[in-house]
Amino acid sequence: MYRNHTCGEIRMENIGQEILLAGWVQRVRNLGGMTFIDLRDRYGLTQLVVDDHSSDEVKNIAATLGREFVLQTRGVVRERSSKNSKIPTGDVELQITELNVLNSSATPPFTIQDDTDGGDELRMKYRYLDLRRETVRRNLELRAKMAHVVRNYLDSNSFIETETPVLIKSTPEGARDFVVPSRMNPNQFYALPQSPQLFKQLLMVAGFDRYYQIVKCFRDEDLRADRQPEFTQIDCEMSYVHQEDVLNMFEGLTKNIFKEIKGIDIVDFPRMTFADAFEKYGNDKPDLRFGMMIHELTDLVKGKEFKLFDDAEYIGGICATGCSEYTRKQLDALTEFIKKPQIGGTGLVYARVNSDGSVKSSVDKFYAPEELQLWAGRLEAQPGDLLLILSGGKEKTLPVISSLRLEMGRQCGLMDKENFKPLWVVDFPLLEWNEETQRFFAMHHPFTSPKPQDIDLLDIDPGKVRANAYDLVINGVEIGGGSVRIFDSELQAKMFKILGFTKEAAEDQFGFLMNAFKFGAPPHAGIAFGFDRLVSMFAGLDSIRDVIAFPKNNSGRDVMNDSPSPIAQAQLDELYLKLVRAE
Amino acid sequence: MYRNHTCGEIRMENIGQEILLAGWVQRVRNLGGMTFIDLRDRYGLTQLVVDDHSSDEVKNIAATLGREFVLQTRGVVRERSSKNSKIPTGDVELQITELNVLNSSATPPFTIQDDTDGGDELRMKYRYLDLRRETVRRNLELRAKMAHVVRNYLDSNSFIETETPVLIKSTPEGARDFVVPSRMNPNQFYALPQSPQLFKQLLMVAGFDRYYQIVKCFRDEDLRADRQPEFTQIDCEMSYVHQEDVLNMFEGLTKNIFKEIKGIDIVDFPRMTFADAFEKYGNDKPDLRFGMMIHELTDLVKGKEFKLFDDAEYIGGICATGCSEYTRKQLDALTEFIKKPQIGGTGLVYARVNSDGSVKSSVDKFYAPEELQLWAGRLEAQPGDLLLILSGGKEKTLPVISSLRLEMGRQCGLMDKENFKPLWVVDFPLLEWNEETQRFFAMHHPFTSPKPQDIDLLDIDPGKVRANAYDLVINGVEIGGGSVRIFDSELQAKMFKILGFTKEAAEDQFGFLMNAFKFGAPPHAGIAFGFDRLVSMFAGLDSIRDVIAFPKNNSGRDVMNDSPSPIAQAQLDELYLKLVRAE
């Protein structure tokens, strides 16, 4: 037996007991006659004491210890003379009688503590040491706990957890697949799933009624901070449901997670159409932690010989509460901000609402004070507020105002990470027109059902068709999304046609699904939550990396074990593959 | 709302209630004035009645229904005149007032019932229909329930469920990897994990203390009935433990699963060394549901001028209880059985113990009656028993006797699928000599610790070194296996050397692990259970296929969606790959 207690559990009531501990040396303090060793494991820290009462052997060993050495020790619990109220074991210490070094340690390349001195790259290379830091490990513990809560909720609602295959059929629709060459079927390939979409729909055809899985998915896309080539979804599907049933079930799940993990009761769970979200927040994932809603001013500002506005299709703005005192420099910085290429704005018009209620704008020569008052009224501004107004094409300008709104939210400290505001965005468009390829793409995926009242539009004006599709947004982050599915093989065939599939291509790639629909497919709908994002939001992190035990970097590499890596010629030969030299 | 009840929950207390149901048509019986429709969903069956009280519209629709049509119906619950005690809803029926066909169905290619008329291939092609059969769905429900029980046990024992990567580094040691070409790192490849072995060990280095994961693993091996290219493991690792701690923890898990799922208390959980298992059962996974233990007879049978035995290194046999009346034909069949190429036996000597206690053998001319009595004594035979004796080289003969023993167990009906006899097999050899490549291979894997008392043998006689490795065997099936791990970088380096790795190759492939061991690796040990096998054993199945929702066939193909499949030239180009034409 290496231990009979952990380093986190010894308390006053253990005083006098002889105890066996094992763990890592967090710190050694040698105070001449006494040596204090902080011994750490996953459960906590316990102070060990070597003093005059200790044997020479113990003293000699204690003198050789360094950080991260692995120890096993036996000792008697006693009350500390100088207590540490910051840790649960801080009232006691272990006066040790036996000390075994189970393993030594080289000096770690960075300090194993919450505020480490290690840079990102170094910590990733030594991820096994980074994970020793309590802050990092706690994120992974949170992840495990959240998975547990999710499973309990879904299990208790009759969902059957079902594993779907990882080696599946490659389909070119959607993002880029990772592929896996098959040795037994030469020159053929499996794909790794971007989601278990088809399988979960087939499980509904199979009568499983309610399915879920916490499942790895894969996308061979260029990476960003919150993207990884492999990621985890809470993937769900239900039969004999309408959109409303799905929203209620997963509103329940979301509330349950907040309650179980954070002790928070989420009361409001509003719904907003995609069209409204775009008009009022400039994007499809409004952050509702603060107002600063977008209002259109087009009708108020035109025809006053201000060319910028007169030429614009759309003029709209927001009211930044309490920002009327922004300096010229701050306002210039905001103009710079919206002009960044990734935001793509052009110019910013502002107006300050002074404490006396008068409005002073950057375009005073075009607009009379009464007109500016109308702007302030439309934007529901109060004395002390700042109006920020942009103009241009509507589709392009609203997203710029959205970015400005979020920036003002940040600057005004309105984005408290512990304030959670969920929202359902509904009624997404079914299709998106792609200029480059001159064809429609499915906004959600090709299996999403049009809204029944819009089906007639499919033949006339497909771009106008709305879908029974929905996203769960929390604090401006898309946490999940789903849709009611098509369950009629003819409608599905029509959908493939609109998406530009030939009959043969549709048959080749999705024939088994359309065939399945011929044998009594039930109405069904589903949703998937991005589990990494959900956990990182609960952990208060901006990136998903620190809620993944072994993440990859932006080139898709694991820098710890230096993979991907070349494989042997014999492996390639077995797979009937030849490498082409990259340029 | 499609339904407010399921087809499995209506009872006498619902009589008089108006209820909405949805489901599939299991059967329609038209009895002239009345039509009975059995409506099925995952939860059960409810009988719908269309009779004189029904509207013409309902009658007309009812007349068009076929098997597997999808219906929504409204009706009033009433007591049946002729009750069906075989189903929980058998006391009641629904007199229907509304009937909507949500979807029609083509005639299924096989009947959707427990005793289907569909052959294996047809059922796999239409797996979504096969899964509608209650027997098949129940296996998947069992699987979900077992996963739930496993997680609860491990969660309550402080294991942290942690996801490890699916896109990992390829290592040529062990079975053949599936590989995944990297687009972002041209000419380099990820591998799919054969197990999360290295990552779970790194999690122990990281101080996670206790880890588990129910995880997909992958092996590109030629397939058999109980092998799939992707399979699921319950994968676990613990720190600061000895072998005994691991055995106790997972004995607890196993007992817990039996208790929770089958209501069985497993009391006996014996342990047996690999050496004993081989001597007494001829293999490393003894089926303890019956005795028929192997006894060596070499010392008793030599020197009697029976050349076969005189020339043999080893002679051993079993006693088949109550089989003394086996006919000549039956005995010939047994000889045929052991001569099958996959069993590899040569000849069989038998002896009957007659009801008067006399022994009559096939080699009476060489052995006196008293000598045969000694055989019977050694094999603990009673009147009515049959002795079956084989001879040859010891290593080759014991496995043949093992096969014969299992065959006799089957013939004697001793292998009750609901009688569960678990066993730990311990002290496996560390290494296996491979004649073909003239090198040692790790019997478990290269990270397994030798038994401390055998470490000195590593330099002298590596083949004799025993490992701290263990297998969980239930009813002759290897359910799990694991080992205490090496946690010292020098011993690990030595192990790689014995396995024929050059220093460079070891560094290239496992350098990050040996490096990790330099920073205070704790003693650790682990185990993995084959989840598919465990579930199939609980389901009473011989193959793992029916506990997998979408299994692959023996060529690694999913016949439902016809994958793997060719991919587009553009995909190959992006991956810098060229196909080589297979012969």
Side-chain angles (χ1 to χ4, degrees), chain B residues 99 199 218 312 354 367 392 473 508 541:
Chain B
L99 190 56
F199 291 101
F218 306 86
N354 297 316
Y367 297 94
V473 174
D508 179 50
L541 300 169

Side-chain angles (χ1 to χ4, degrees), chain A residues 102-138:
Chain A
L102 298 174
N103 217 337
S104 61
S105 174
T107 306
F110 50 84
T111 53
I112 312 291
Q113 47 199 37
D114 290 358
D115 51 338
T116 181
D117 56 358
D120 198 51
E121 202 159 329
L122 201 61
R123 292 193 295 111
M124 284 302 146
K125 184 164 161 57
Y126 295 91
R127 181 64 167 168
Y128 44 86
L129 297 179
D130 195 33
L131 288 168
R132 275 191 199 163
R133 294 165 55 224
E134 199 189 339
T135 39
V136 183
R137 197 197 61 240
R138 261 203 309 251

Side-chain angles (χ1 to χ4, degrees), chain A residues 416-433:
Chain A
D416 176 3
K417 284 190 173 176
E418 289 299 310
N419 177 21
F420 296 96
K421 294 292 176 193
L423 165 75
W424 288 111
V425 178
V426 299
D427 295 358
F428 277 80
L430 183 68
L431 302 162
E432 255 178 325
W433 179 256

Side-chain angles (χ1 to χ4, degrees), chain A residues 3 24 42-43 106 132 143 148 155 158 163 166 188 190 205 209 230 232 518-521 556 564 578, chain B residues 3 24 42-43 103 106 132 143 148 155 158 163 166 188 190 205 209 230 232 518-520 556 564-565 578:
Chain A
R3 63 185 179 193
W24 286 265
R42 177 183 131 200
Y43 311 94
R132 275 191 199 163
R143 183 182 184 108
H148 184 82
D155 285 343
S158 301
E163 294 172 59
V166 177
Q188 300 196 1
Y190 302 101
V205 176
D209 207 77
E230 51 181 298
T232 303
K518 289 178 185 148
F519 294 98
K578 218 167 149 169
Chain B
R3 64 185 178 194
W24 286 265
R42 176 184 131 201
Y43 311 93
N103 217 340
R132 275 191 199 163
R143 184 182 182 108
H148 183 82
D155 285 344
S158 301
E163 294 173 60
V166 177
Q188 300 196 0
Y190 302 101
V205 176
D209 208 77
E230 50 181 299
T232 303
K518 289 177 184 147
F519 294 99
S565 53
K578 217 168 152 169

Side-chain angles (χ1 to χ4, degrees), chain B residues 178-368:
Chain B
F178 280 105
V179 295
V180 182
S182 166
R183 179 183 55 88
M184 287 204 275
N185 302 273
N187 296 346
Q188 300 196 0
F189 293 77
Y190 302 101
L192 302 181
Q194 296 181 29
S195 91
Q197 185 61 33
L198 294 175
F199 291 101
K200 69 177 176 173
Q201 292 195 239
L202 290 173
L203 286 173
M204 295 304 103
V205 176
F208 271 46
D209 208 77
R210 293 179 173 194
Y211 143 91
Y212 85 96
Q213 189 180 192
I214 300 183
V215 61
K216 275 280 175 74
C217 299
F218 306 86
R219 266 182 216 175
D220 186 12
E221 294 295 312
D222 299 325
L223 305 172
R224 301 188 310 234
D226 62 341
R227 284 254 178 102
Q228 286 275 315
E230 50 181 299
F231 54 97
T232 303
Q233 278 188 191
I234 306 168
D235 193 53
C236 305
E237 197 78 8
M238 304 171 76
S239 287
Y240 300 113
V241 288
H242 296 286
Q243 172 169 312
E244 197 56 27
D245 302 307
V246 179
L247 300 193
N248 287 332
M249 178 63 71
F250 290 92
E251 199 166 302
L253 171 63
T254 309
K255 287 179 174 175
N256 189 253
I257 305 172
F258 275 108
K259 184 70 184 171
E260 294 288 326
I261 300 289
K262 294 211 166 267
I264 295 173
D265 285 302
I266 298 283
V267 181
D268 279 349
F269 222 121
R271 288 162 199 199
M272 193 183 292
T273 66
F274 171 86
D276 275 357
F278 193 64
E279 288 280 344
K280 293 179 186 162
Y281 297 91
N283 65 26
D284 60 358
K285 39 181 193 282
D287 187 333
L288 297 193
R289 282 175 295 182
F290 61 102
M292 243 188 250
M293 214 182 278
I294 300 170
H295 292 272
E296 182 166 2
L297 301 170
T298 315
D299 59 319
L300 292 182
V301 303
K302 287 228 177 196
K304 307 293 168 178
E305 296 185 12
F306 180 44
K307 195 166 162 20
L308 187 72
F309 284 177
D310 283 352
D311 290 352
E313 177 198 5
Y314 172 92
I315 303 99
I318 55 171
C319 167
T321 314
C323 294
S324 72
E325 306 283 314
Y326 258 44
T327 62
R328 183 74 217 186
K329 204 175 153 193
Q330 283 176 300
L331 289 163
D332 285 348
L334 287 182
T335 305
E336 285 312 302
F337 171 82
I338 62 156
K339 282 184 175 170
K340 284 186 193 173
Q342 66 270 37
I343 293 176
T346 47
L348 177 66
V349 168
Y350 65 85
R352 305 173 195 273
V353 186
N354 297 316
S355 53
D356 63 1
S358 67
V359 181
K360 178 96 187 95
S361 86
S362 56
V363 289
D364 275 0
K365 61 176 165 172
F366 299 106
Y367 297 94

